[in-house]
């Protein structure tokens, strides 16, 4: 089985978490700029997804640091 380089794997996971965090911070600006009701309706699931991505990164990085 071909396992990926751990350095590349963590870099990609970190990039995914940062992009999710930036998107979560930019979403209210998008709501304010467009004033679209549809975007307001998907805010809950969107923030749940963003929180789960960032939380998973934080949890797995902590677990990876404590693993021998």
């Amino acid at each position: 089985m071909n396992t990926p380089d751990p350095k590349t794997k963590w870099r990609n996971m970190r990039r995914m978490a940062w992009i999710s965090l930036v998107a979560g911070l930019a979403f209210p600006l998008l709501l304010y700029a467009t004033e679209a009701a549809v975007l307001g309706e998907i805010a809950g699931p969107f923030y749940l997804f963003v929180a789960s991505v960032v939380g998973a990164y934080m949890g797995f990085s902590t677990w990876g640091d404590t693993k021998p």
Side-chain angles (χ1 to χ4, degrees):
M1 184 164 86
N2 188 10
T3 58
D5 180 29
K7 195 175 193 180
T8 304
K9 177 183 171 187
W10 283 106
R11 184 178 336 123
N12 290 335
M13 288 175 61
R14 196 170 34 252
R15 186 177 297 148
M16 180 177 56
W18 275 109
I19 289 171
S20 293
L21 186 62
V22 169
L25 295 174
F27 189 73
L29 298 174
L30 181 65
L31 278 173
Y32 182 72
T34 61
E35 298 178 7
V38 176
L39 288 177
E41 292 174 7
I42 65 165
F46 175 76
Y47 279 114
L48 182 65
F49 172 72
V50 168
S52 65
V53 169
V54 173
Y57 170 74
M58 291 172 60
F60 281 113
S61 64
T62 302
W63 179 58
D65 287 344
T66 60
K67 223 170 84 174

